[in-house]
Amino acid sequence: AKDYELRQYETAKWVSTVIRGETQKEAMRQGFWKLFHYLQGKNEKEMKIDMTVPVTCLIKSGCADFKISFFVPFEHQDSPPQPTDSDVFIEERKAAAIFVRSFGGFASPEKYAEEAEVLARILRNRGQPFHEDFFYTAGYDSPFKLFNRHNEVWYFKK
């Protein structure tokens, strides 16, 4: 469809952290730095790991916890170094079919919520079953990139 796409993602490992009791914007900031430090060598092997995209944030209805994640690069998927920060963990996300809506510009929590609502409305109108109680935000650009920015919201297909 022109207003969303359905993607099939394979099982993959992500490095994640959960930030509790903060605004989404503050949780993203804190989570980003915790994960960035992991990539910079705050891990068992003191190994530097390349930054990957997207950076995702799990948003659950009525929940003030935000799970921020970086995709583990392909060369480390088999055995990513374990984090040394107890707030950072490696998770394996199972293969899934995901409905994706893309948009440009600088994405605020409000803009992500608005785009997620648009996607949810489209999916309901088309009779597409999806998990409505959570969605992911996905950001692909450095804060220093000013033009042609790429952001997404993801709902998992039921």
Side-chain angles (χ1 to χ4, degrees):
K2 68 180 187 335
D3 36 17
Y4 72 90
E5 60 185 293
L6 178 58
R7 292 187 195 148
Q8 181 63 44
Y9 281 94
E10 298 308 313
T11 298
K13 292 189 178 85
W14 295 71
V15 59
S16 302
T17 189
V18 175
I19 306 294
R20 294 180 172 83
E22 296 289 353
T23 63
Q24 183 180 342
K25 190 172 186 172
E26 179 59 19
M28 283 295 293
R29 190 189 69 74
Q30 287 183 22
F32 177 90
W33 286 109
K34 281 185 176 290
L35 298 174
F36 186 75
H37 290 137
Y38 166 82
L39 296 180
Q40 290 298 300
K42 199 170 180 187
N43 57 61
E44 277 182 348
K45 297 180 182 168
E46 296 183 355
M47 177 189 290
K48 275 194 184 245
I49 300 169
D50 289 337
M51 176 83 195
T52 60
V53 291
V55 176
T56 65
C57 180
L58 173 62
I59 312 287
K60 292 186 210 163
S61 304
C63 181
D65 295 354
F66 299 98
K67 182 168 67 175
I68 293 86
S69 307
F70 291 174
F71 180 77
V72 172
F74 291 110
E75 64 267 24
H76 299 291
Q77 278 288 318
D78 290 340
S79 61
Q82 287 304 305
T84 52
D85 179 338
S86 60
D87 292 339
V88 177
F89 56 95
I90 303 294
E91 68 168 324
E92 183 170 272
R93 293 189 196 164
K94 299 293 175 213
I98 300 176
F99 293 108
V100 178
R101 180 171 171 82
S102 300
F103 61 99
F106 279 89
S108 63
E110 297 75 21
K111 181 67 174 161
Y112 276 125
E114 187 183 301
E115 293 291 336
E117 187 45 51
V118 169
L119 178 55
R121 194 166 50 242
I122 292 166
L123 295 173
R124 281 186 212 107
N125 289 343
R126 300 207 177 135
Q128 292 282 6
F130 65 102
H131 292 277
E132 298 193 35
D133 52 332
F134 70 93
F135 67 92
Y136 280 90
T137 67
Y140 287 82
D141 301 304
S142 128
F144 307 108
K145 182 173 180 180
L146 302 180
F147 303 102
N148 301 316
R149 295 179 62 81
H150 183 81
N151 313 288
E152 297 173 347
V153 288
W154 298 352
Y155 274 111
F156 281 55
K157 183 177 176 148
K158 274 191 175 170

